[in-house]
Amino acid sequence: MAPKRPRGADALHLAVEAEIGASRSQNPSAAPSLGSRGLYAAVDLGTNACRMLIAEPKGSQFVVVDSFSKTVQLGAGLEASGKLSRASMGRTMQALRICQKKIEQHGVAHMRFVATEACRRARNAREFMRQVKRETGLIVEIIPAEEEARLAVISCAPLVNRNTEQLLVVDIGGGSTELVWIDLSLVAPEDRPRAIMRLHRGFQVEPGGARVVDWISVPLGVATLKDQFQDVEDDAARFALMSWFFEEHLASFSPYNAAQTRAGFQIIGTSGTVTTVAASYLGLRRYDRTKVDGLQMTSDQIDLVIREYLTLGPEGRRVDPRIGRDRHTLIMSGAAILQALMRIWPTDRLSVADRGLREGLLYAQMSADGVLEDGPYQ
C-alpha cells in the first residue's frame, strides 16, 4: 500500500463529524457537564491498544488526573481479512466501557475519542463505531492520517530544543508510522515550542512560523510490520528484513534524499517502542515516566539495546521485565523501524517522548477553549 499524503479529511471522517454534530446534544457522555471540574479526556483507539488520559489544565500545561491503557489488538487479523474481527471488537468494547465509567466517575466536561489506522483500513469500522455508540454512548471519530500526525507533533512541543532548526517528529504506532519534517530556521529560538503548538490548526505554511517541509504516514507500524514477516523463522534475519522493508516505504518522503546538516537537527520519537528501548537502556524493571520522557539517547545506545534484544531471542524477550509481556511480541518490529530512521538521517541523538496522540488531543482541546495560560495558540 502506498504511503498516504496530505489530502485533508476523508469521506469517513466527514461523515462521522456530521454524525457527532447531529447527536452530541442527545449524548450525555459527549456533552459538557455543568457540574464538572473542567476536566478534559482524550482516548486514542489504536491498532494495538486503547489509551485514555483525563487531565486538568494548569498554567500552560495540564495535570493528569487519571489514565488507562489496555492492549486490545483491534487490528489483529486485519491484514488478511480487511475487517475488524469479532474477538478484537469485543476486547475493544470492554476497554471503552472502562473509559466510559472513568469519565462518569470524574464528571469530565470535555472529551474526544479518536480511532486511527486499523479503523481507517477496516471495511466494517463504521459499523463498529455505531455499535460503540449504541452500547456505551461514546462517539469515536476515525481521524485522517494528517490529523493523527499533527496531534503527535504538538504533543512534543515542550521537548523542542531552542537551537533546533530542523525537526523530525516520528510517531511509531501499531498500524502506521507518521513522520513530520519541520523547518524552524525562521522562528526565533525562544518561540520554537510555541510555533510547534500553533500547528494544531493544520500543516499550512505560516509566514515566519514553523514550516512543514513534508509529512508521510507509512501504513507500517509495530503490528502491521510484524505481520508482513511472520513466515521468516530466523529472528535476526526477520529483524533485518523488517528494517530494510520499512526504509523502502520512505522513498517518496522528500527529506529522505535531501542533504541535511547535522547541526541544528533534532529527532523526537514518540511511541511505546521508543519508551521501551529507553527503559531497557536505563535498566528500569518498573517503568518510570519521569526518567524516560525527555531522555536523550545516542545511536550507539539504541543499537546496544537492540543487540541485547536480538541476543535474548523471542523467549528471553518474553520474560524480560524491562520489555513487559504486552510488548514483547512487537518490540522487534518497532526496533526495526527505529533503527531504519536512525540509519537514514544525520543525527546521533534521539529525544525520547512519553507523549503522543492523547496529549495532542488534550492540548488541542484546551487551546481551542483558551484555558491554557499561553493559549489559545492562534
Side-chain angles (χ1 to χ4, degrees), residues 328-348:
H328 73 93
T329 61
L330 301 171
I331 189 59
M332 294 315 296
S333 50
I337 294 172
L338 181 58
Q339 188 183 73
L341 298 172
M342 299 302 290
R343 181 171 64 237
I344 294 167
W345 280 292
T347 181
D348 58 1

Side-chain angles (χ1 to χ4, degrees), residues 136 189-190 198 204 212 217 289 302-303 320 349:
T136 68
E190 64 274 10
R198 285 192 286 269
Q204 67 272 18
V212 176
S217 179
R289 183 185 187 275
I302 292 170
D303 285 342
D320 191 321
R349 290 190 177 274

Side-chain angles (χ1 to χ4, degrees), residues 9-67:
D10 56 21
L12 177 55
H13 178 65
L14 293 173
V16 174
E17 287 280 22
E19 187 172 331
I20 290 171
S23 62
R24 182 160 275 159
S25 62
Q26 303 171 8
N27 183 1
S29 70
S33 166
L34 296 177
S36 72
R37 298 160 47 199
L39 297 180
Y40 289 74
V43 171
D44 168 15
L45 181 55
T47 302
N48 190 54
C50 176
R51 303 180 180 92
M52 179 178 72
L53 284 180
I54 297 175
E56 187 173 19
K58 186 173 183 180
S60 60
Q61 304 289 323
F62 56 77
V63 177
V64 174
V65 174
D66 201 354
S67 64

